[in-house]
């Protein structure tokens, strides 16, 4: 059960304001990003160490020196930090259509390099398998439109509003005139009661599933959708309450461009449905794409001094369509400002920063670089103005299979009465899932404002962001980095240790099964031991003693021939359909199937692994049954050793 730092009902909101637009700049002067004023750095005089006599206590001198180093580093980092820089840079990135392999993604990397320095750009292939993933083909949108054959515009020029084009669409054969057929959800074969070969289909279902049914199986040329993911009536996120919003969608990574598609607003979709129900309707559709750069690009920057201690990784995905302000220009630009701040002070531990295409760039980089990391902080959707978006900042903890204290530490550093915040158990959703996989074994937390009324939509614009959110979260990350690099202050370490043991006690009372209670005790002790390695204080030692003696966490035993989670690399079209139904029916499915494999790779027997993962995510019996079948499929296809 998640430990909630602060609970609050989502805010009520007025109708979405008009989309913020900002004129595109024609050029960027070298050496300076327009619109950003870097504040001059002001240093306070460092306190001088009190002098001890020649025979004075050397230990006291060393302890005081360490304390000064911790205080001055923290003060210097927080003094240098300018959250307005992140917001201004977000406004620039929100002008770019940042598709994987697209020119907008390359331009976004260039903007970041102008701000933080050159760094290293690594290139990885698209359209191929990488570990457990199928990396989609490179995709660069050049233009397109959708009109009724009578001339009425349905989707404007995609050069002006690129979010109207479904990601991974293929190119049309010039302008195609297509009859429109309403197929309902369009996700089941039984819905195709009339021929759609060579037609455009109206479909309300999830576009990757619609693509497999309508285009791949039944020969449709075009998909027209209003699909809105993650609907939430509590914050006014429904098609009916946002009738003119256009949502971002994508076809599956296995698609090869056999068809194309358009995202339209709810109002436009209902207009089309009404017409199709009365008469034969035709549209003129044009879609122009190419392979862009032909690869995935990852920007990597190193700060601090490499040494005996493992580096800390900070990462933020850079992809998503224009505008994509909070998701995830906000994370990318906050990371850029954090790197600028870290570059201004001497660090005794190396920090690596990574900007990449979500999931695919991360797994490609790990498979290539094979870094040995201390921990990681994933920064994804952090700029939200909580009053406008209805969001709450979620600090996502590591899974039961990889105990750590870092999420508790971050939550303590972010706790305030001015913003909504909750510490959650492990969930999937972003790149931290790859790091927390048993085969990678890097404790990774994620910072994500969720839910968000404007998520994946044309309304995710910089006016929905807040400089106060950037300041709050940025200072929390800097505080946490200072703790990890120079040591956690005693009082803070005591709070973190108490939180870890309190959660262990809560879970121990909640479960009666001896297997689960034993694992809870083991992960509680493992998290406290990791905390002790960073800050060994009497309070931490006392909490460890109170936690009792347990068996240590088991060692990793590789059972999967890949690094990271096993995703769609093994799936046939039927497997993909089966997996999509499980995602729809069970919100815990992604977490459950990954964590079961994690436990198995820690030497836990299959049924015990299922029992532990079921307890961790409160999975229903039907989902557990599906997880058993999933393990059978992995074994049959050679992706899990029996």
């Amino acid at each position: 059960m998640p430990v909630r730092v602060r609970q609050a009902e989502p805010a009520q909101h007025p109708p979405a304001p008009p989309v913020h637009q900002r004129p595109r700049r024609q050029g960027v002067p070298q050496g300076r990003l327009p619109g950003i004023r870097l504040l001059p750095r002001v240093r306070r005089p460092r306190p001088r160490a009190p002098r001890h006599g020649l025979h004075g206590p050397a230990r006291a001198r060393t302890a005081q020196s360490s304390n000064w180093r911790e205080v001055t580093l923290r003060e210097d980092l927080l003094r240098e930090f300018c959250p307005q820089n992140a917001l201004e840079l977000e406004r620039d990135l929100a002008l770019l259509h940042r598709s994987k392999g697209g020119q907008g993604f390359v331009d976004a990397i260039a903007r970041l390099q102008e701000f933080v320095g050159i760094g290293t750009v690594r290139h990885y292939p698209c359209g191929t398998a990488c570990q457990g993933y199928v990396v989609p083909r490179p995709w660069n949108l050049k233009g397109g439109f959708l009109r009724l054959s009578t001339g009425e515009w349905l989707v404007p020029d995609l050069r002006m509003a690129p979010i109207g084009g479904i990601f991974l669409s293929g190119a049309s054969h010039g302008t195609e005139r297509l009859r429109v057929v309403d197929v309902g959800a369009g996700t089941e074969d039984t819905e195709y009661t009339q021929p759609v070969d060579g037609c455009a289909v109206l479909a309300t279902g999830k576009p990757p599933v619609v693509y497999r049914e309508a285009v791949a199986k039944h020969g449709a040329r075009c998909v027209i959708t209003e699909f809105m993911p993650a609907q939430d009536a509590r914050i006014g996120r429904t098609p009916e309450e946002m009738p003119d919003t256009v949502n971002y969608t994508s076809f599956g990574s296995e698609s090869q461009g056999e068809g194309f598609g358009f995202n339209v607003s709810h109002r436009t979709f209902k207009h089309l449905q009404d017409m199709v129900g009365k008469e034969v309707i035709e549209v003129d559709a044009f879609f122009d794409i190419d392979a862009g750069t032909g690869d995935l690009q990852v920007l990597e920057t190193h700060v601090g001094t490499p040494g005996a201690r493992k580096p800390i990784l900070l990462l933020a995905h850079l992809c998503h369509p224009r505008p994509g302000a909070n998701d995830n220009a906000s994370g990318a630009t906050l990371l850029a400002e954090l790197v600028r701040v870290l570059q201004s002070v001497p660090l005794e531990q190396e920090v690596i920063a990574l900007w990449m295409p979500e999931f695919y760039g991360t797994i490609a980089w790990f498979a290539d670089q094979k870094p040995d990391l201390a921990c990681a902080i994933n920064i994804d959707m952090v700029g939200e103005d909580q009053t406008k978006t209805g969001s709450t900042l979620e600090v996502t903890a590591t899974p039961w299979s990889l105990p750590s204290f870092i999420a508790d530490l971050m939550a303590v550093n972010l706790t305030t009465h001015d913003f909504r915040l909750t510490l959650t158990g492990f969930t999937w959703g972003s790149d931290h899932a790859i790091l927390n996989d048993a085969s990678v074994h890097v404790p990774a937390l994620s910072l994500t404002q969720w839910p968000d009324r404007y998520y994946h939509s044309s309304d995710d614009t910089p006016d929905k962001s807040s400089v106060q959110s950037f300041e709050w979260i940025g200072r929390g990350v800097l505080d946490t980095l200072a703790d990890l690099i120079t040591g956690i202050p005693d009082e803070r370490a005591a709070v973190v240790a108490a939180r870890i043991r309190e959660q262990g006690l809560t879970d121990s009372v909640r479960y009666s099964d001896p297997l689960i209670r034993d694992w809870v005790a083991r992960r509680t002790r493992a998290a406290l031991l990791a905390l002790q390695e960073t800050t060994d204080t009497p309070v931490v030692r006392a909490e460890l003693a109170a936690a009792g003696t347990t068996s240590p966490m088991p060692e990793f035993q590789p059972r999967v021939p890949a690094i990271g989670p096993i995703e769609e690399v093994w799936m046939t079209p039927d497997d993909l359909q089966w997996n999509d139904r499980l995602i729809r029916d069970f919100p815990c499915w992604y977490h459950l199937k990954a964590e079961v494999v994690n436990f198995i790779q820690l030497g836990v027997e299959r049924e015990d692994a299922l029992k532990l993962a079921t307890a961790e995510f409160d999975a229903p019996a039907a989902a557990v049954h599906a997880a058993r079948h999933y393990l059978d499929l992995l074994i049959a296809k050679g992706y899990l050793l029996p």
Side-chain angles (χ1 to χ4, degrees), residues 131-132 134 559-562 566-579 606 628-642:
Q131 304 301 314
V134 174
R559 300 277 297 278
V560 171
I566 301 300
E567 286 302 298
E568 66 273 18
V569 68
W570 61 273
M571 296 184 186
T572 65
D574 287 342
D575 294 325
L576 288 167
Q577 293 287 78
W578 172 77
N579 190 62
R606 172 172 162 153
R628 285 192 180 90
H629 181 57
Y630 170 71
L631 295 176
D632 290 338
L633 289 172
L634 289 184
I635 292 171
K637 300 194 178 189
Y639 281 93
L640 179 64
L641 297 178

Side-chain angles (χ1 to χ4, degrees), residues 17-22 91 461-464:
V19 175
H20 172 78
Q21 294 182 336
R22 192 162 180 254
R91 290 188 174 119
T461 46
D463 59 305
K464 313 306 189 311

Side-chain angles (χ1 to χ4, degrees), residues 22 25 106 123 176 223 469 488 496 502 520 544 631 635:
R22 192 162 180 254
R25 294 191 178 91
V106 176
H123 299 260
E176 300 185 28
V223 174
S469 289
I488 307 171
V496 173
E502 180 183 357
V520 167
L544 258 172
L631 295 176
I635 292 171

Side-chain angles (χ1 to χ4, degrees), residues 372-387:
D372 188 13
L373 302 170
C375 61
I377 299 172
N378 182 51
I379 306 173
D380 186 3
M381 298 177 62
V382 292
E384 277 84 345
D385 182 324
Q386 292 188 341
T387 302

Side-chain angles (χ1 to χ4, degrees), residues 159-319:
R159 293 174 297 176
M160 302 296 103
I163 199 169
I166 297 179
F167 268 45
L168 298 182
S169 287
S172 64
H173 304 306
T175 299
E176 300 185 28
R177 178 156 291 185
L178 307 170
R179 183 170 65 90
V180 181
V181 179
D182 189 347
V183 294
T187 57
E188 300 292 340
D189 185 70
T190 54
E191 294 174 292
Y192 293 83
T193 57
Q194 55 180 309
V196 298
D197 185 48
C199 295
V201 297
L202 280 176
T204 60
K206 193 174 181 180
V209 187
V210 175
Y211 183 92
R212 288 192 283 271
E213 283 292 335
V215 177
K217 187 182 293 185
H218 290 94
R221 284 292 296 147
C222 175
V223 174
I224 304 172
T225 183
E226 63 158 350
F227 183 77
M228 174 183 281
Q231 294 184 31
D232 192 334
R234 298 173 304 164
I235 57 172
R237 182 177 167 79
T238 66
E240 293 75 19
E241 293 190 67
M242 304 174 71
D244 297 311
T245 295
V246 177
N247 297 287
Y248 153 50
T249 68
S250 176
F251 294 140
S253 59
E254 79 284 356
S255 64
Q256 294 300 314
E258 300 91 341
F260 52 92
F262 296 91
N263 302 305
V264 299
S265 69
H266 176 66
R267 191 187 306 277
T268 298
F269 192 87
K270 298 302 289 184
H271 174 52
L272 272 172
Q273 272 190 325
D274 290 343
M275 289 191 294
V276 169
K278 298 173 183 176
E279 57 184 308
V280 174
I281 296 297
E282 292 183 325
V283 293
D284 291 333
F286 173 66
F287 212 105
D288 189 16
I289 58 102
D290 64 21
T293 63
D295 60 7
L296 297 178
Q297 298 193 13
V298 175
L299 176 60
E300 173 188 337
T301 296
H302 293 244
V303 187
T305 304
R309 300 171 68 186
K310 297 178 182 180
I312 298 168
L313 178 67
L314 307 178
L315 68 164
H317 74 81
L318 185 56
C319 54

